Amino acid sequence: MVIRELKNGRCYVSTQEDHAELSAQFAAHWGNERFSQLRPYDTMIFATTFHDSGYREFEGNPPINTAKGRPYAHREEIPAFEATELAAYARNVEWVRSHDPYAGLLVSMHRTGLWHNRYNVFTEPSMRLRERSAEVQRVKKELEAQQEQLKKELSAEHPGFTGELEYNYRALQIFDLLSLYFCCDGHTADDEFKDYKITPVRVSYDSDETVELRLMPDGANAVRFDPYPFDISPIKICVRARMMNLESGKNETAGLEAYQKAPRQLLTFEMCR
């Protein structure tokens, strides 16, 4: 779950698919006179929309952090849950690949990249590095072997595929980071954002030029980008979330019931030049 705790003792709880759907809104609008529009466009939107859908297998009835009376957040360790997560990731990669092999490759690379600091494509932000279990390392090697085979097959069909794939992997990571910024990471107060940057960000498929993408607060629930990478300005974006009370001491059953009954809200933000 993607969770933002508020100062009033409540929190916003979004599923990974809610978060991914917000990511897809960035993908849909990416590109203008300076930044390349995504290609293949449909594949990139599909991959971004479903890049974290493995979680759907357990987010209907998620594990509860009883110390807080809410589901576990995505960076919290869930006890004895690794096998469930790994199986869900693998099934999602296979499902996406069955619909669009290129999209499946990107989703697989996203998953293994998260176990490897996003393959070090950014100097900022950096990920929290931690030791991975032997089973995670085994699954990572297995997925990466599948990726290499799929890269060979797709590159035979698409001239310039390798460079395009590199750009698209980076782009998917940007959309993921932007969604996390708006959902949870970018807030200094309940309706105020903080300065943030992603670097280096490639500008074009056909150029090695990179920029530092800076995000700056621009009033309540609004963010200004420099340089601006989207097709229109301003853009309204939104993400679905459940509003829950933070209550310690709830058992698993009571916490799950509170999650299921929590009112849903649509959180809306604005992006501009």
Side-chain angles (χ1 to χ4, degrees), residues 24 89 91 146 185 194 249 264:
Y89 300 153
R91 281 193 291 269
Q146 294 172 1
D185 291 343
K194 65 183 180 182
R264 278 65 160 173

Side-chain angles (χ1 to χ4, degrees), residues 85-220:
E85 289 184 295
L86 292 177
Y89 300 153
R91 281 193 291 269
N92 186 56
V93 167
E94 184 55 39
W95 180 84
V96 175
R97 187 164 52 215
S98 71
H99 290 270
D100 184 327
Y102 195 162
L105 173 59
L106 285 163
V107 170
S108 180
M109 291 173 64
H110 172 71
R111 172 44 49 195
T112 55
L114 291 179
W115 292 325
H116 200 115
N117 195 34
R118 299 184 192 269
Y119 290 121
N120 301 310
V121 297
F122 303 121
T123 55
E124 291 190 61
S126 60
M127 292 184 66
R128 176 172 62 98
L129 297 177
R130 54 194 174 96
E131 187 69 24
R132 302 295 180 177
S133 71
E135 183 61 13
V136 167
Q137 294 178 41
R138 183 193 68 79
V139 171
K140 180 175 180 286
K141 289 180 180 179
E142 184 177 290
L143 288 172
E144 288 177 333
Q146 294 172 1
Q147 292 165 17
E148 290 306 310
Q149 180 59 38
L150 195 50
K151 286 177 187 178
K152 291 179 183 178
E153 295 172 6
L154 291 171
S155 62
E157 302 171 5
H158 304 288
F161 174 77
T162 300
E164 181 185 272
L165 177 65
E166 179 186 345
Y167 184 97
N168 286 337
Y169 171 76
R170 285 171 174 255
L172 177 54
Q173 303 318 297
I174 292 168
F175 307 144
D176 183 56
L177 288 167
L178 290 178
S179 180
L180 292 173
Y181 173 86
F182 281 94
C183 286
C184 59
D185 291 343
H187 298 263
T188 57
D190 291 356
D191 62 351
E192 295 179 7
F193 287 100
K194 65 183 180 182
D195 290 335
Y196 183 73
K197 60 184 175 182
I198 304 173
T199 188
V201 171
R202 282 186 60 186
V203 170
S204 168
Y205 287 100
D206 305 316
S207 168
D208 291 330
E209 179 190 1
T210 63
V211 296
E212 178 181 276
L213 184 64
R214 295 188 296 135
L215 283 68
M216 296 153 285
D218 195 45

